Amino acid sequence: MAMEYKYWTLYNQVVHADFVSPEAGHPPSTAAHRKEVPGLQVGTSAIPVVGRHPLLVSSQAQTAQAATHGRYHLGLAVGSTLAAGAFGTAFDRPITRLREFLTALRELLDTGTADFHGELLTVTPPLPTAVPGAEPRVPVLVAAMGPQALRVTGELADGTLPYLAGPKTLSNHIVPVITQTSETAPRIVAFVPAVVTADVEGTRATAVRQLAFYEQVPSYRRVIELEGASRAAELALIGDEQTVADGIQRYYDAGATEVVLTTTDLAGPDDQHRTWALAGALASDRDGSSAAAVLPPV
C-alpha cells in the first residue's frame, strides 16, 4: 500500500498523547516495522523526555537510523504529568529538562560522546556512543507548541511537530517564535487529523469522541483555543478529496514544511484508503518535497 501510493513519510504514533506502552516511542521498533519499504521515511512522534535519558534515546535513535539506512526522524516531546507519573517521577521544570536533554543529545549525536553536567541531567559516557551506520546525523524534532519550548527547540533542534495547531496558530504563534532562535529554517511538521469521506456528520461525531482527550491537556487546549475552536474535532479535516486537500494547503500557506495526516481511520477502512490515496497523490504532485504524509493507527 505504501509503495502503491508513494507515501513520502510515515510516523509511528505511539506516545502522541503521552500514553506509555511497552514499545512507546521505541525507535528500533519503528525501524523494524518500516525497514522493508524502500525510500519510506520513518519516525517517532513523540517520545516525552521526562522519564528518559539522552544516552538511551541517542543509542536507540542511532540504531533506528542505521537500520533504516538514514531514513529515521527522532520526535521528542516535553511530556506531561501523565507521562511523568508512569515513571514515578514529578513533572517539574519541564523547559529546563527539555533544554538540558536537547543539549546533551545534540552533543552525543554530533560528536559521539558528551560531558554534560546540568541541574537535572548528567551525561558522561565512559566509551564512545556513536553507532556504526547511523548516517546522516539523526534529525531531532520536538512537539513544542508553547513559546518557551519553541524557543528552546529553535535553538537546539531541527524543527517542531505541532498537533491540533491550526493554520492561524501556526502562522501567528508557532512559526514566528521558533524561527527567532533557529540558525537555519526550521522544519514545521504539522500533524493534522484528516479523513476523506462522504459521511461528514458521522465522522465528525466520531472525531469529537476520540479527540476529546486532548481538550483536557493544557498545551493542546491552548492551541485549540488560539485557533478559535472549542473542540479538538473542529481542527479535523473531514470531507471529500478537494475539501481535505484545500485544508492541507492552508497549513502549507501558514508555514508548515511538511504535513502528516493522523486519525485517518475515523470512518473505517474504505475511507481510510481514500485518505491514503489522496496523501499519495499530493506527495506525487509535490514531487516528494514537503509532501502530505499519513500516520496509521497503531
Side-chain angles (χ1 to χ4, degrees):
M1 191 74 69
M3 289 295 289
E4 177 183 354
Y5 290 149
K6 300 179 183 178
Y7 296 154
W8 181 80
T9 186
L10 186 63
Y11 279 80
N12 181 23
Q13 184 187 33
V14 283
V15 282
H16 197 60
D18 289 339
F19 290 115
V20 179
S21 66
E23 289 190 348
H26 190 250
S29 173
T30 304
H33 293 165
R34 313 301 181 199
K35 69 179 181 179
E36 299 303 328
V37 185
L40 193 68
Q41 303 294 309
V42 299
T44 46
S45 176
I47 303 170
V49 299
V50 61
R52 267 81 173 187
H53 192 276
L55 271 174
L56 295 178
V57 172
S58 170
S59 176
Q60 292 175 336
Q62 290 183 78
T63 300
Q65 183 73 318
T68 59
H69 305 291
R71 294 180 282 126
Y72 177 72
H73 307 253
L74 174 62
L76 301 173
V78 177
S80 66
T81 54
L82 179 62
F87 291 96
T89 187
F91 184 61
D92 56 352
R93 305 180 67 188
I95 301 303
T96 298
R97 182 175 297 277
L98 177 64
R99 174 175 288 281
E100 292 189 2
F101 195 101
L102 290 176
T103 301
L105 179 64
R106 186 173 181 173
E107 188 174 352
L108 289 168
L109 294 176
D110 286 347
T111 71
T113 188
D115 185 17
F116 179 82
H117 301 266
E119 297 178 53
L120 303 177
L121 295 171
T122 297
V123 184
T124 57
L127 298 172
T129 61
V131 175
E135 298 175 350
R137 176 189 179 278
V138 178
V140 179
L141 305 165
V142 181
M145 295 186 290
Q148 294 184 74
L150 282 167
R151 283 191 284 270
V152 172
T153 298
E155 178 185 349
L156 298 172
D158 300 300
T160 184
L161 302 165
Y163 179 55
L164 296 175
K168 182 172 69 175
T169 304
L170 274 185
S171 62
N172 294 340
H173 300 279
I174 291 180
V175 176
V177 176
I178 192 172
T179 54
Q180 287 176 356
T181 57
S182 180
E183 294 183 356
T184 59
R187 290 172 61 187
I188 312 294
V189 186
F191 279 61
V192 184
V195 183
V196 175
T197 181
D199 183 15
V200 175
E201 184 176 343
T203 304
R204 184 74 64 184
T206 301
V208 168
R209 294 192 300 271
Q210 292 200 13
L211 298 178
F213 166 82
Y214 296 99
E215 298 159 13
Q216 306 171 43
V217 180
S219 59
Y220 293 116
R221 186 172 64 246
R222 174 180 174 273
V223 293
I224 291 170
E225 293 174 350
L226 284 174
E227 197 64 22
S230 59
R231 304 300 305 268
E234 296 176 51
L235 278 299
L237 302 177
I238 300 173
D240 61 19
E241 281 83 357
Q242 191 62 55
T243 297
V244 174
D246 289 346
I248 291 171
Q249 185 59 49
R250 287 194 289 273
Y251 281 87
Y252 286 120
D253 293 341
T257 59
E258 297 140 87
V259 175
V260 177
L261 305 185
T262 74
T263 56
T264 59
D265 62 331
L266 290 174
D270 290 342
D271 284 340
Q272 184 175 45
H273 291 166
R274 286 183 66 187
T275 309
W276 290 358
L278 174 64
L282 294 175
S284 296
D285 289 344
R286 289 178 174 271
D287 196 27
S289 174
S290 300
V294 291
L295 174 65
V298 294

